[in-house]
Amino acid sequence: MVNAAEYEDRPWLDPEAEPFIKVQSVSKQFGDFTAVDSVDLEIYKGELFCLLGGSGCGKSTLLRMLAGFETPSSGSILIDGVNMNDVPPYERPVNMMFQSYALFPHMSVEKNVGYGLRRDGVAVSEIEQRVQEMLAMVELSQFAKRKPHQLSGGQKQRVALARALVKQPKVLLLDEPLGALDKRLREQTQYELMNIQEQLGVTFVVVTHDQEEAMTLSTRIAVMDTGRFQQIGTPTEIYEFPNSRLVANFIGNANMFEGRVVENGQDHVIVESRHPECNFYVDHGMSIAEGSKVWVALRPEKVMISKQQTADGNTNTVKGMVHDIGYLGGTSTYRVKVGDEHLVEITSPNQLRPKDGNPPIDWDEEVYLSWEPSSSVVLVK
Amino acid sequence: MNNGKRSIFLLSTLSFGLAFLYVPMIMLIIYSFNKSKIVAIWGGFSTKWYAVLFDSPEVWEAVALSFKIATVNACFATLLGTLAGLALVRFGRFKGRTLFSGMISAPLVMPEVITGLSLLLLFITLKEFIGWPDERGFTTITIAHITFSMAYVAVIIQSRLAGMVQDLEEAAQDLGAKPLRVLIDITLPLLAPGMVAGWLLAFTLSLDDLIIASFVTGPEAVTLPILIYSRIRLGLRPDINALATIIILVVAIGVLIAGYIMLRQQRQRELDLSMVAEEK
């Protein structure tokens, strides 16, 4: 009854799919410091998987263990069913693109790209052909004879990518692949990277600290903190349904309210908050014992701001005073003072041009904030 | 006005500094063309001391010996120093690393008299117990020079390696190169400038050394510094001035060539950078 096509883009949902990379309770200690703390991870063929986290969260260490530059203190790593623990880096079916690109400065672009093939003893004519193909793919054919220091940052990045892909690895590991590029180039390269990944069908594992990069690139994201995974899921899952305050704050912005569950219904929960005084009616399925202390996360773009009162009572609505306005052209960000000190951030699209019948919201004006029952998320940790 | 004052001040400082460095050498060059036999009294222009110099075989023997020692020393010191530098930087925290890295730099700070004396004692003891070296000379001087100049090479290699990103070696491994292959393909080519610098330094140190060489040499082996020193003790003769002038000339030419090569590389780098910038 399982429809294969149904899972084509989401192999992690397919109960019969075999993970391509299996990380089984892997830990890594450096002296007293635990960089990676007993993590489990399954990555499927063709995924573009992101390890996301701040510096020192263990993401790079995990990537280096996949590449073979570090050996796990305990646990095991399987790639395509083979235990990699005792396999040295030069025999693993993976290639890595380094954050520094690590291009060999004394070799030309084509020698750099062909290095891996030469080490494998591929015939000279084939090396030439495959290098040419790779350079054509990253649009660097005319730079083949150049040395790395004669290239710009973006060109270097593409050489590094070509060099890592030319051996047709089973898995490509990318350490902050866009970190060294400026913003405009980064956006453009991001899409190029996705196209190449789709074209070749290679499994990508990307390490990044940039949440936007992770959101656009990946099929799934693992948010890491202090050596553990906080949440693993698709970009949408992680953004819309974070499982902790840490994840909610790390990915995008979130207004956080502390409260107590006062009603645990069949299809909803009601959380009562003191600061500000309002009730959150949350309608998506979760069951939390009445009386327990929880947090409610509310994304800035999911709050509606209006000068007219739109709903009665104090459920899913609250009154406040405009404290700050940031006009960003397409959108505006309002910081609204609710209660004595609590500031709520709201992002709202500027759909209408301000005119007489539609006066803009101004500083120190009284406004009403409201949100849908499905907009907020209840977090227990 | 202020500017003009300052530039006069800077100009005089510069000329004084340069004079301090070069007037002695210029004096020496001028006096090498002195006709008089007494070094410090000008007796007219002459090139006869150069003729005398070219006619004295012991001078050329000393030059040949010094160059032979310097060359062999530089090669061995570079080899051993590179290995030591690699071990210190790349093999992580092995047992006794601190001790080893301290010991490698000891010869740099040790007074040469002590190094010379201890090596002499070593050679004498060795001869007594194993009968080697049976005669002090070329071999003992070379060994002595290797022991201290390899320390300099190790320090150069160490600093070069520390500045080199380890990513490059890891990238090579990642692309399928076994450790020995990485050393040959990546590490050594990138270390080459450091090794050349180390070789040149070891060569110069050896050519220059008087103290250690006089401790460990025998009656047969006279290096250039030993020769010059003994000549001076016997009384200055203008042919030494001629020899010194030739040495200064050789060194100056060497420095000029090195400077020219460096300037050309610098220009090339700037050209490359501007090319990259234009394409953007």
Side-chain angles (χ1 to χ4, degrees):
Chain A
M1 281 303 285
V2 177
N3 182 359
E6 190 184 337
Y7 298 119
E8 200 191 314
D9 293 333
R10 296 176 183 78
W12 55 91
L13 295 178
D14 183 352
E16 284 172 22
E18 185 62 24
F20 195 61
I21 302 173
K22 273 193 204 170
V23 174
Q24 292 168 332
S25 50
V26 162
S27 295
K28 177 71 189 177
Q29 271 108 20
F30 296 106
D32 290 339
F33 175 68
T34 304
V36 175
D37 191 1
S38 181
V39 298
D40 289 284
L41 182 64
E42 297 187 331
I43 299 175
Y44 294 84
K45 209 179 167 75
E47 270 203 88
L48 205 165
F49 195 93
C50 265
L51 298 169
L52 175 64
S55 59
C57 72
K59 57 189 193 304
S60 293
T61 308
L62 184 57
L63 193 78
R64 289 174 59 79
M65 284 195 280
L66 288 171
F69 299 130
E70 308 283 356
T71 33
S73 305
S74 64
S76 52
I77 293 173
L78 282 81
I79 297 176
D80 204 7
V82 182
N83 190 325
M84 286 287 143
N85 280 20
D86 298 321
V87 181
Y90 45 87
E91 280 167 12
R92 294 199 180 196
V94 302
N95 283 126
M96 176 148 161
M97 197 184 121
F98 290 76
Q99 183 174 12
S100 65
Y101 307 143
L103 300 180
F104 307 134
H106 56 301
M107 295 184 195
S108 66
V109 166
E110 56 180 2
K111 287 268 185 292
N112 259 288
V113 175
Y115 185 80
L117 297 174
R118 283 202 299 284
R119 288 288 69 78
D120 284 1
V122 177
V124 177
S125 57
E126 195 191 330
I127 293 179
E128 221 161 272
Q129 186 207 337
R130 277 167 72 177
V131 169
Q132 287 313 322
E133 278 171 19
M134 266 299 144
L135 288 179
M137 188 185 79
V138 295
E139 293 165 18
L140 282 176
S141 299
Q142 71 271 39
F143 298 110
K145 301 279 182 231
R146 288 231 185 138
K147 290 278 180 69
H149 70 269
Q150 296 168 312
L151 300 174
S152 69
Q155 291 165 344
K156 280 184 200 160
Q157 194 261 4
R158 271 140 59 201
V159 176
L161 184 65
R163 188 180 71 177
L165 281 170
V166 78
K167 287 183 73 176
Q168 298 165 347
K170 289 179 178 172
V171 180
L172 183 69
L173 309 171
L174 303 99
D175 190 1
E176 303 275 1
L178 311 174
L181 304 178
D182 58 50
K183 191 167 183 281
R184 189 171 286 273
L185 200 56
R186 190 154 63 211
E187 278 167 16
Q188 182 193 333
T189 313
Q190 206 163 281
Y191 290 103
E192 272 173 27
L193 211 56
M194 285 160 77
N195 286 338
I196 287 171
Q197 196 265 344
E198 237 164 81
Q199 203 179 314
L200 302 179
V202 179
T203 309
F204 276 32
V205 180
V206 181
V207 152
T208 178
H209 69 276
D210 183 328
Q211 47 118 343
E212 253 178 70
E213 192 177 306
M215 299 284 279
T216 15
L217 281 177
S218 39
T219 52
R220 283 193 303 156
I221 299 173
V223 182
M224 255 187 122
D225 185 61
T226 58
R228 291 170 171 276
F229 292 131
Q230 298 300 319
Q231 188 172 3
I232 301 175
T234 64
T236 323
E237 279 165 9
I238 287 192
Y239 186 79
E240 302 292 348
F241 304 104
N243 64 0
S244 63
R245 283 180 294 159
L246 191 137
V247 174
N249 280 322
F250 192 77
I251 312 281
N253 294 329
N255 296 300
M256 209 61 75
F257 305 92
E258 200 177 316
R260 203 165 284 282
V261 177
V262 291
E263 193 180 317
N264 182 16
Q266 269 273 294
D267 56 351
H268 69 274
V269 286
I270 296 177
V271 178
E272 180 192 63
S273 155
R274 287 277 161 80
H275 305 285
E277 266 185 53
C278 71
N279 287 335
F280 290 87
Y281 180 99
V282 184
D283 74 351
H284 41 84
M286 46 176 30
S287 175
I288 300 159
E290 278 169 29
S292 40
K293 184 182 163 187
V294 293
W295 289 267
V296 177
L298 193 53
R299 297 285 185 195
E301 75 282 0
K302 295 197 165 55
V303 186
M304 284 162 285
I305 184 167
S306 163
K307 287 202 270 192
Q308 282 86 40
Q309 189 164 7
T310 46
D312 293 330
N314 66 349
T315 295
N316 285 0
T317 181
V318 73
K319 193 168 94 173
M321 177 113 79
V322 177
H323 186 72
D324 260 328
I325 303 175
Y327 177 71
L328 303 171
T331 58
S332 286
T333 301
Y334 304 91
R335 277 145 65 88
V336 174
K337 206 172 189 175
V338 174
D340 292 334
E341 53 200 271
H342 207 97
L343 282 175
V344 179
E345 197 174 299
I346 299 117
T347 322
S348 160
N350 295 324
Q351 282 171 324
L352 302 171
R353 227 175 242 162
K355 55 185 184 204
D356 293 343
N358 178 35
I361 293 169
D362 221 333
W363 273 269
D364 292 334
E365 267 190 305
E366 216 167 64
V367 287
Y368 295 90
L369 309 180
S370 60
W371 52 92
E372 294 294 315
S374 61
S375 294
S376 51
V377 183
V378 180
L379 306 169
V380 292
K381 57 174 184 182
Chain B
M1 205 185 91
N2 191 16
N3 219 353
K5 249 190 201 165
R6 197 164 58 191
S7 78
I8 288 169
F9 172 72
L10 284 177
L11 206 66
S12 48
T13 325
L14 180 71
S15 14
F16 181 76
L18 285 177
F20 193 78
L21 287 173
Y22 288 104
V23 165
M25 284 191 225
I26 292 167
M27 291 295 292
L28 188 131
I29 293 171
I30 292 171
Y31 273 99
S32 75
F33 295 104
N34 191 359
K35 200 179 203 168
S36 164
K37 198 175 174 174
I38 302 158
V39 170
I41 295 170
W42 183 254
F45 180 83
S46 156
T47 55
K48 73 170 182 185
W49 296 114
Y50 286 88
V52 171
L53 182 71
F54 281 94
D55 271 344
S56 33
E58 78 274 15
V59 170
W60 297 112
E61 271 167 31
V63 168
L65 180 68
S66 272
F67 270 81
K68 214 166 96 183
I69 291 172
T71 311
V72 175
N73 161 63
C75 295
F76 275 97
T78 306
L79 180 72
L80 295 174
T82 304
L83 292 177
L86 275 172
L88 284 174
V89 177
R90 279 292 181 263
F91 294 118
R93 308 222 122 260
F94 59 87
K95 211 171 178 183
R97 182 180 183 276
T98 322
L99 187 70
F100 189 42
S101 72
M103 279 166 68
I104 200 82
S105 50
L108 305 183
V109 291
M110 196 75 79
E112 284 179 318
V113 185
I114 293 178
T115 314
L117 187 60
S118 48
L119 280 162
L120 177 63
L121 288 176
L122 173 75
F123 290 136
I124 292 172
T125 321
L126 275 179
K127 192 181 174 182
E128 219 157 88
F129 282 98
I130 61 169
W132 180 92
D134 52 352
E135 187 177 69
R136 289 196 294 282
F138 169 77
T139 320
T140 49
I141 298 175
T142 311
I143 292 173
H145 282 179
I146 292 170
T147 56
F148 80 91
S149 44
M150 72 163 273
Y152 286 87
V153 179
V155 170
I156 292 179
I157 294 292
Q158 231 178 317
S159 69
R160 175 127 189 130
L161 267 176
M164 208 168 92
V165 265
Q166 203 165 346
D167 284 3
L168 294 174
E169 289 166 357
E170 285 183 350
Q173 275 205 35
D174 183 66
L175 292 165
K178 295 194 171 76
L180 187 64
R181 199 73 230 183
V182 176
L183 187 72
I184 295 168
D185 284 353
I186 309 298
T187 318
L188 288 183
L190 293 177
L191 276 184
M195 287 166 74
V196 170
W199 194 94
L200 287 172
L201 185 64
F203 188 84
T204 321
L205 285 170
S206 165
L207 212 54
D208 206 32
D209 170 66
L210 169 67
I211 298 170
I212 294 176
S214 16
F215 271 101
V216 297
T217 188
E220 296 299 312
V222 179
T223 65
L224 193 56
I226 293 177
L227 179 87
I228 295 175
Y229 187 66
S230 60
R231 286 272 179 102
I232 288 171
R233 283 209 303 188
L234 293 175
L236 287 170
R237 263 176 50 194
D239 61 339
I240 294 296
N241 287 352
L243 181 61
T245 303
I246 293 173
I247 293 174
I248 289 174
L249 200 72
V250 170
V251 171
I253 290 172
V255 169
L256 279 177
I257 291 174
Y260 174 70
I261 292 173
M262 258 150 54
L263 191 73
R264 240 185 34 178
Q265 282 175 344
Q266 173 85 19
R267 290 241 174 91
Q268 183 61 43
R269 256 200 302 275
E270 276 164 17
L271 213 68
D272 289 343
L273 281 180
S274 65
M275 180 172 75
V276 171
E278 264 170 42
E279 276 162 8
K280 268 189 182 172

